[in-house]
Amino acid sequence: MTKGTYWLEHAWLGTHVEPGVTLEVADGRIGAVRTGTPAPPPGAEVLRGLTLPGLANAHSHAFHRALRGTVQVGSGTFWTWREVMYSVADRLTPETYHALARAVYAEMALAGITCVGEFHYVHHAPGGTPYADPNAMGEALIAAAAEAGIRITLLDTCYLSSGFGEAPNPHQLRFSDGSAEAWAARCAALEERDHARIGAAIHSVRAVPAAQLATVAGWAQERRAPLHVHLSEQTAENDACLAAHGRTPTRLLADHGVLGPRTTGVHNTHLTDEDIALLGGSGTGTCMCPTTERDLADGIGPAVALQRAGSPLSLGSDSHAVIDLLEEARAMELDERLRTRTRGHWTAAALLRAATADGHAALGWDEAGRIEPGALADLTTIALDTVRTAGPLPRLGAETAVFAAGAADVRHTVVGGRHVVRDGAHTLVPDVPQALARAVDALRA
């Protein structure tokens, strides 16, 4: 990375919006932050609008992007949607997945996302036969993120069964390594890169037998890596877990050493009071994905109670019904308003923290998500002169960003001090809509 200077017309510094901020950047990190600079220094890159730390998308299934629009015909539930999802997963190859993920990650960059947590479980060829490189699919995702210019935490996912005591169904054979030990051996060959870190995931308590949960948790603990898990997204999962083990999924995870500060439960929708206390008391995070949770009619999770109990909140676009982290932040507050019929559960600053610093922390990038010396120079600039954002006072920029702006208002995205999106155009993927259309069409064919 080369040295450079950025001048931010307005910058959100974690607690307030500051006008006229100059950043010195070297080796991909912020070296100095100078406030009170009303005009750009000579030679500085000018970011007009409101600049935030780069946004962190803490939960993604890149191939679900191919479902956008096609699953909105007719009625159904999560379980009927899942059958359509399997049909797309069946057609993925390392080549088609790379092309799709590259376009999806480029779409994320256009939305101001600088880091993605990819919850990755399509590991093998259809039928379960490993590729010549057993990590070919994961490597395709890591390469796609590099080419799209964003960071990635590959949350390599253990997925062994279709339900409690049930073998994988034909669709799920390509997800399974056969045992947690075999999963761990395959994951051990994955290497981190400057833009990529390796984490672990337990798909769900129904997909990893209880006796093998500790193996996955131990793998992550030994490496001090993030560990994510789909948790209580559906009441059917809770009912099946109670029938099989006499306890909730959260209690089952606690009993097998899965919970803790480096663990994040994704969704955490249908929880008991004891579940909330277990998650908060252990410091386990919560990743809310409101646009997917409402799209799939999953329900509204107890995010307020979880945060009060001690569970840090992050945000994800999950199935990519839309890719817009500002909408995820806004939806978390607005869904809670609908549920409680009261307003103001989170400040705009708290919602931006979930979309930035706490999201990065959930993905193992603790040095990102803040505009301060030593932090990674990952920045997202929101235009303040669009039809959605014009009018409010600049000092209310955080409120404008969360409650009015969206992905279409992102003007610049900078990753490691390098412009990935400039004036709303991706600098590495010239025509993102065409790249998406080609990648999705290839799967349909």
Side-chain angles (χ1 to χ4, degrees), residues 124-174:
H124 308 299
T129 302
Y131 291 101
D133 175 358
N135 286 306
M137 296 293 266
E139 292 292 346
L141 294 166
I142 291 171
E147 292 173 30
I150 69 172
R151 305 183 195 278
I152 186 172
T153 296
L154 187 73
L155 298 161
D156 198 287
T157 305
C158 188
Y159 195 135
L160 306 173
S161 60
S162 63
F164 297 96
E166 299 177 16
N169 68 35
H171 298 294
Q172 296 164 343
L173 289 172
R174 68 183 312 190

Side-chain angles (χ1 to χ4, degrees), residues 180-181 183-184 211-220 256:
E181 290 77 11
W183 166 85
Q212 301 190 57
L213 292 170
T215 299
V216 184
W219 188 94
H256 290 273

